[in-house]
Amino acid sequence: MEKKTCYITTPIYYASGEVHIGNSYSTIACDALARYKRLAGYDTVYLTGMDEHGQKIEEAAKKAGVEPQEFVDNIASKTSDLWKELKISNDGFIRTSYDYHVSAVQKMFEKLLAQDDIYLGSYEGNYCVACESFFTKTQLGEGETCPDCGAKTRIVKEESYFLRLKKYEKQLLDYIDAHPDFIMPLTRRNEVISFIKQGLEDLCVSRTSYKWGVQVPSNPKHVIYVWIDALANYITYLGYNNDETNFKKYWLDGDEVIHVVGKDILRFHAIYWPIMLMALGLPIKFKLYAHGWIMMSGGKMSKSKGNVVYPLTVKERYGLDPLRFYLCKEMPTTEDGLFTYERFIEQYNVYLANDLGNLVSRSIAMVNKYFGGSIEKVPNTDLNKDANNELERIISENVAKYHECMQSFQLQNAINAIFEIVGFANKYIDLTTPWALAKDENLKNELNDCLYHLLETLRIVTIMLQPFMVETTITIFDELGVDKDYQVFEKIAYGAKTSYKVIEKAIVLFKRLDLAEEYKKYGISE
Ligand code: ME8
């Protein structure tokens, strides 16, 4: 049977910014989703990339004394190296300055222009001559001054192309209405609906005040608005307006298309992008998952506040998996998440060092001590009956919950389901008291039963952790002697692997951290 397809995208990152622990979330979360989909048997394509055009980037390049292309080349290479360091498993890395993207966007624009979904009009707004920028009324400083340099702005009229949004207002509302899971979570969906219901204005989609962008072929003094250029990446990467084999496979005929975005760019993806697709006569196809922000205790991360935390700093200090784990576990589905070192260390100690790390090391130590490292499955014993039943019930319930949550991008809840099992497995040890069973030769079978349950539980938990913890899970499987065949969802049911040969001495997966010591070492303030 042909595999089902799944196409997952992150937003493409602005080449003018830098990746900190907050915005790295979109990519890490999508990576977890992409790894999950691959494990679930989907033919998965995971795309990320760079948004490289626009006035801001043109100015930043000028300031740096280089051509814009050289400027973005440098940032794109740094960003793609960072994703490698974070073991992001993206299949593609698109850049909006790539020729194939530029030509596909130009064809798209000309098509919309030819069919009158884009028309030439004029844009009127408050303009700052010094900064060469238009500002909306809400952006302006007091007395209609420029929010950047403080100079008085003037009303300027500029020739500009517009995309007809108004024309598609009803069609979009109908689409949202007919597809209740198009925009998730529901709170975001409601936000979008009420925004559209206030009435859409046609969108200004070209600029003449800078050059670094995709030119309108039939009127080259115009460059295409960055958002039109950027949103199109999701289909130009697949070959839209070029070789369309993958576009057909993963979009037109695809089974799932998932865009993951932060809440700040919800409208672009929930309004402009579907309208562009409708106007192009293409199916909307995608589901949109909008996540919150990672905040610092003092609010948003910003250079001026001096509270920016970089993913590589956390990785170098505490390892990659704790970072990936923390971000996915801390971000709720509908709200913002929080990053502080204090909370990071607390969560690390509770879930990784204590719950998971201890379970692995205790189980391996006992299998070595009482059975020389090898264990076979035995029928459930009467003595352990209640604890066994409870453990098996908790496993099957939480495996089901995990799949449900992963399928609807509720990563926090999916991780919580995993740790329900881990938590109970630790309790199971207290309930079955293997050290007491070991004292009685007649209870050898009961002891075997108990330790086999622990190893199976660990194997199941490790299968589930794979999307999040990309290094630790390999280590745990190695320690337990679980080969590839038993690391998959098809074999997740309790009892699937019937014999084990574990490593002689467990590796310390997560060394407990002491907050005061960490403060001393790094002078952590956030
Ligand atoms: O928006 N916590 O790019 P970008 C969580 N180029 N997510 C955050 C965050 C935080 N503190 N700060 C930012 C762009 N993000 C456009 C996208 S797509 C056609 C064009 C998220 O580099 C943000 O919401 O500003 C977005 O999902 C991603 O980081 C990249 O943001």
Side-chain angles (χ1 to χ4, degrees):
M1 207 177 72
E2 283 260 314
K3 278 185 170 186
K4 281 192 164 185
T5 67
C6 180
Y7 177 44
I8 299 174
T9 68
T10 70
I12 47 173
Y13 284 63
Y14 278 127
S16 58
E18 55 182 356
V19 181
H20 49 66
I21 197 166
N23 52 14
S24 72
Y25 176 78
S26 300
T27 307
I28 291 176
C30 274
D31 188 57
L33 186 62
R35 285 172 184 269
Y36 172 83
K37 289 287 180 185
R38 288 190 200 106
L39 274 171
Y42 283 78
D43 170 355
T44 306
V45 172
Y46 172 20
L47 175 69
T48 185
M50 296 300 316
D51 188 355
E52 301 188 332
H53 289 133
Q55 187 162 19
K56 241 181 163 174
I57 289 161
E58 190 176 82
E59 279 166 8
K62 202 164 158 199
K63 225 169 150 188
V66 293
E67 287 300 313
Q69 187 65 56
E70 189 183 339
F71 182 82
V72 295
D73 284 350
N74 182 30
I75 294 195
S77 114
K78 277 191 192 144
T79 309
S80 121
D81 285 350
L82 171 68
W83 298 144
K84 284 185 196 121
E85 290 267 4
L86 302 183
K87 301 222 166 138
I88 301 302
S89 63
N90 56 304
D91 300 281
F93 187 86
I94 190 172
R95 300 178 49 191
T96 52
S97 66
Y98 281 157
D99 287 346
Y100 75 84
H101 171 79
V102 170
S103 69
V105 169
Q106 286 179 322
K107 278 190 208 159
M108 182 188 89
F109 193 95
E110 291 294 342
K111 175 179 159 69
L112 294 175
L113 188 58
Q115 69 193 36
D116 192 42
D117 276 313
I118 285 179
Y119 60 91
L120 191 60
S122 65
Y123 179 83
E124 195 178 299
N126 288 76
Y127 186 75
C128 170
V129 181
C131 299
E132 296 180 39
S133 297
F134 279 99
F135 295 99
T136 60
K137 292 280 181 219
T138 52
Q139 289 172 320
L140 292 174
E142 210 165 298
E144 307 220 317
T145 53
C146 169
D148 289 341
C149 71
K152 182 121 182 96
T153 58
R154 58 171 89 154
I155 301 284
V156 167
K157 235 180 163 179
E158 185 185 286
E159 178 187 276
S160 181
Y161 287 97
F162 287 82
L163 173 67
R164 294 194 192 278
L165 296 189
K166 214 170 197 25
K167 173 179 163 190
Y168 289 97
E169 200 176 287
K170 179 162 183 328
Q171 203 177 321
L172 180 59
L173 276 174
D174 289 347
Y175 183 86
I176 297 174
D177 196 42
H179 298 83
D181 57 356
F182 167 46
I183 303 163
M184 278 180 295
L186 280 182
T187 44
R188 302 286 175 214
R189 178 177 190 264
N190 294 339
E191 249 175 62
V192 170
I193 294 174
S194 60
F195 185 81
I196 302 172
K197 283 190 172 159
Q198 286 166 23
L200 297 177
E201 300 270 339
D202 289 349
L203 178 71
C204 176
V205 291
S206 76
R207 299 285 189 274
T208 49
S209 52
Y210 62 89
K211 295 257 162 302
W212 179 238
V214 178
Q215 268 185 352
V216 175
S218 57
N219 192 352
K221 72 172 193 251
H222 287 261
V223 292
I224 297 170
Y225 175 41
V226 276
W227 269 102
I228 298 297
D229 165 14
L231 288 162
N233 93 85
Y234 300 130
I235 55 175
T236 64
Y237 171 73
L238 294 176
Y240 174 66
N241 274 343
N242 271 305
D243 171 357
E244 298 197 342
T245 322
N246 281 337
F247 178 58
K248 185 166 170 355
K249 177 170 178 188
Y250 292 100
W251 193 282
L252 297 179
D253 299 339
D255 295 295
E256 282 188 26
V257 177
I258 299 170
H259 295 327
V260 173
V261 300
K263 62 180 183 181
D264 51 316
I265 54 175
L266 174 67
R267 280 183 204 169
F268 299 92
H269 285 82
I271 299 174
Y272 305 165
W273 179 225
I275 287 181
M276 280 166 69
L277 288 167
M278 284 192 241
L280 290 167
L282 297 172
I284 292 178
K285 223 42 211 202
F286 68 91
K287 273 188 189 156
L288 188 63
Y289 291 116
H291 61 73
W293 273 29
I294 297 283
M295 306 297 275
M296 310 301 280
S297 55
K300 258 171 88 170
M301 218 173 295
S302 80
K303 271 200 161 162
S304 56
K305 284 191 203 156
N307 63 356
V308 180
V309 174
Y310 297 100
L312 287 186
T313 313
V314 180
K315 179 191 159 179
E316 273 150 26
R317 291 180 191 174
Y318 306 112
L320 174 60
D321 282 350
L323 166 70
R324 294 175 54 111
F325 168 82
Y326 180 88
L327 290 178
C328 294
K329 182 165 186 313
E330 278 303 288
M331 181 72 93
T333 307
T334 52
E335 309 290 324
D336 288 335
L338 179 72
F339 182 89
T340 64
Y341 276 106
E342 194 176 349
R343 177 136 180 97
F344 177 85
I345 288 168
E346 178 208 271
Q347 297 284 300
Y348 173 107
N349 281 338
V350 170
Y351 291 99
L352 303 183
N354 281 5
D355 282 6
L356 180 64
N358 268 346
L359 183 64
V360 174
S361 63
R362 285 166 95 187
S363 308
I364 291 178
M366 290 192 287
V367 174
N368 276 305
K369 188 167 172 193
Y370 303 132
F371 290 92
S374 298
I375 269 237
E376 301 282 320
K377 181 177 184 178
V378 287
N380 279 0
T381 58
D382 277 349
L383 187 66
N384 298 334
K385 198 168 108 204
D386 289 348
N388 283 350
N389 287 347
E390 188 62 358
L391 179 62
E392 289 173 35
R393 183 185 66 79
I394 286 179
I395 289 174
S396 75
E397 268 180 27
N398 282 290
V399 166
K401 197 163 160 202
Y402 165 85
H403 283 303
E404 225 174 80
C405 294
M406 289 304 287
Q407 274 152 16
S408 53
F409 197 59
Q410 298 182 51
L411 304 187
Q412 183 183 57
N413 293 338
I415 292 183
N416 288 341
I418 303 175
F419 278 83
E420 281 289 314
I421 304 177
V422 175
F424 188 76
N426 278 309
K427 198 167 157 208
Y428 175 89
I429 301 181
D430 299 335
L431 291 172
T432 51
T433 60
W435 54 89
L437 301 177
K439 286 189 182 136
D440 187 341
E441 230 351 87
N442 294 325
L443 295 178
K444 191 92 184 164
N445 202 38
E446 281 72 8
L447 180 61
N448 184 338
D449 178 31
C450 159
L451 296 186
Y452 172 78
H453 267 82
L454 287 177
L455 294 190
E456 258 309 74
T457 307
L458 270 179
R459 184 184 66 85
I460 293 164
V461 159
T462 311
I463 294 176
M464 296 161 90
L465 277 172
Q466 288 174 103
F468 305 103
M469 309 201 29
V470 296
E471 294 175 340
T472 314
T473 48
I474 297 176
T475 310
I476 302 178
F477 282 139
D478 275 355
E479 291 191 89
L480 299 180
V482 174
D483 61 32
K484 288 258 178 289
D485 289 350
Y486 290 95
Q487 301 178 3
V488 294
F489 287 147
E490 291 82 48
K491 292 284 167 60
I492 203 169
Y494 173 81
K497 183 170 165 61
T498 53
S499 70
Y500 281 92
K501 170 85 187 88
V502 303
I503 194 173
E504 268 173 41
K505 193 163 170 23
I507 296 155
V508 178
L509 296 172
F510 306 101
K511 206 167 120 285
R512 254 192 91 79
L513 298 169
D514 181 74
L515 187 62
E517 251 174 53
E518 297 306 307
Y519 277 5
K520 234 196 296 173
K521 246 196 283 182
Y522 302 114
I524 295 159
S525 55
E526 265 288 343

